[in-house]
Amino acid sequence: MNAVTLHLSPERRQALDKGFFDVFGTKPECYFSAPGRTEISGNHTDHQRGRVLAGAVNLDTQAAVRLNGTGVIRIQSKGYPMCQVDLAQLQPVECEINSTPALVRGVAARFAQLGCEVRGFDAYAESTVLPGSGLSSSAAYEVLIGTIINHLFFDTKVSQPEIAQIGQYAENVFFGKPCGLMDQTASAVGGLVTIDFADKDHPVIRPVDFDFSTTGHALCIIDSRADHADLTDEYAAVTRELKTVSAYFGKEVITEIDEQDFYAAIPELRKVCTDRAIMRTIHEYNENRRVPQQVECLEKGDFEGFLRLTKESGFSSWMYLQNVIPLGYVEQQAMAVALGLCEHYLQGRGAYRVHGGGFAGTVQAFVPMDLLESFRTGIDAALGEGACHVLDIRPQGGVKMEV
């Protein structure tokens, strides 16, 4: 699934070599890349062991790497402080919660648990997956570190889907964020894929043979320019509230509960759960049903049907999942403004929806090519230059690059 070769361009190699030499005073030995991802469908379904449709994108994090002969991983990402992790300590460190070293330590720790003898290396990284862009820079970073360790120290014994699970482990246990597995899987595997997480240890990943460039529409991601740094509890509240519903039935996740049983139990559920938890559960059922319908539309060439379902997904996220406006926010509603702008500039055509975690971050839009220029101009004028990104699906996931 990840057999497509990725060649490092001479320009990027020159930049990586210079950055590496400026920091470490020597030349790198090899180069790696991991892409950002876009969620096409399945908004907040992965942590409920549901279904998603996602794709790797042509924005990535690249690194020049060299073994350093020590027990310390040193990573210099352009524009950020040096990240150093001593491999003698592979337990969660409380003061590292929500930090880059936590991700590196968590990935290294999981490889060590699998029997890999992780050793020190130096890396210089540059990324076009901007933090907060909604394209999951953290997943790309986790997949990048996992791919490096897998190649350098484990003879690529770990599959790309397993690297995704390692990244999720690092984010859940060391970083402190209760994320699902979609972001890491899409980044690790590459291409356009539909994933069924019913078996959490062995998710079923299937490539979807579809080329968006043939549809006469551009795939756009709109940066709302909202800061989601203080919204961790908003994201965590989604899974926390859904757990109150699943706990009522003695289950772990919503997908284990028969939908009719849920609706029949609503009078009693409202006595022990919040109404928002019930609304969010309704979204889970509808969204999980929508994903295979969208996949079928793409595989049959019914792009108009796909767009209709995309709009439904966006409405469901806003109405039922309620991940557009953070609780209590009145003056700042950047995601809602971005969605309103999309509706205005699309003129009833194409489709748009909340993208990824929501609350802050990005909106996804499928924009007819004859509207693209006016759409992008209008979005950038309202939200700032460069707010609208036009993307392509990247065939490669996390890879060692050819030079």
Side-chain angles (χ1 to χ4, degrees), residues 100-239:
T100 300
L103 296 177
V104 177
R105 196 181 304 277
V107 171
R110 186 68 187 121
F111 268 97
Q113 293 166 15
L114 295 172
C116 175
E117 186 182 344
V118 185
R119 300 191 299 278
F121 63 86
D122 294 332
Y124 172 78
E126 293 189 358
S127 182
T128 53
V129 189
L130 300 176
S133 67
L135 301 173
S136 200
S137 58
S138 60
Y141 191 83
E142 295 154 19
V143 169
L144 179 72
I145 302 306
T147 303
I148 291 171
I149 292 174
N150 196 32
H151 277 79
L152 293 184
F153 310 118
F154 216 34
D155 196 29
T156 63
K157 294 178 183 177
V158 171
S159 69
Q160 292 305 116
E162 289 169 328
I163 284 179
Q165 292 173 318
I166 290 170
Q168 182 197 30
Y169 170 83
E171 195 154 344
N172 289 174
V173 178
F174 284 71
F175 188 82
K177 182 179 178 180
C179 68
L181 187 56
M182 180 194 68
D183 295 351
Q184 293 86 351
T185 303
S187 176
V189 172
L192 182 66
V193 294
T194 184
I195 312 166
D196 188 336
F197 292 106
D199 183 341
K200 63 179 180 179
D201 296 321
H202 302 93
V204 177
I205 305 167
R206 183 170 69 82
V208 177
D209 184 15
F210 188 82
D211 184 356
F212 283 105
S213 67
T214 65
T215 65
H217 289 69
L219 168 58
C220 296
I221 296 295
I222 296 92
D223 185 352
S224 69
R225 301 293 168 87
D227 183 6
H228 63 241
D230 63 342
L231 295 173
T232 298
D233 190 60
E234 289 283 355
Y235 302 119
V238 175
T239 53

Side-chain angles (χ1 to χ4, degrees), residues 308-386:
R308 174 180 54 79
L309 291 165
T310 297
K311 293 175 186 177
E312 289 182 10
S313 172
F315 293 150
S316 180
S317 291
W318 198 335
M319 293 168 57
Y320 297 115
L321 184 60
Q322 301 179 44
N323 66 333
V324 172
I325 302 171
L327 185 63
Y329 277 45
V330 176
E331 295 182 4
Q332 300 295 323
Q333 298 186 357
M335 285 289 289
V337 170
L339 289 164
L341 289 168
C342 287
E343 181 171 4
H344 173 72
Y345 287 111
L346 282 173
Q347 303 173 24
R349 299 169 61 193
Y352 64 94
R353 61 189 285 275
V354 180
H355 179 252
F359 300 112
T362 58
V363 169
Q364 180 185 76
F366 292 92
V367 183
M369 294 303 296
D370 62 298
L371 292 180
L372 181 58
E373 184 176 352
S374 60
F375 179 87
R376 181 157 49 181
T377 298
I379 294 292
D380 285 359
L383 300 180
E385 192 67 28

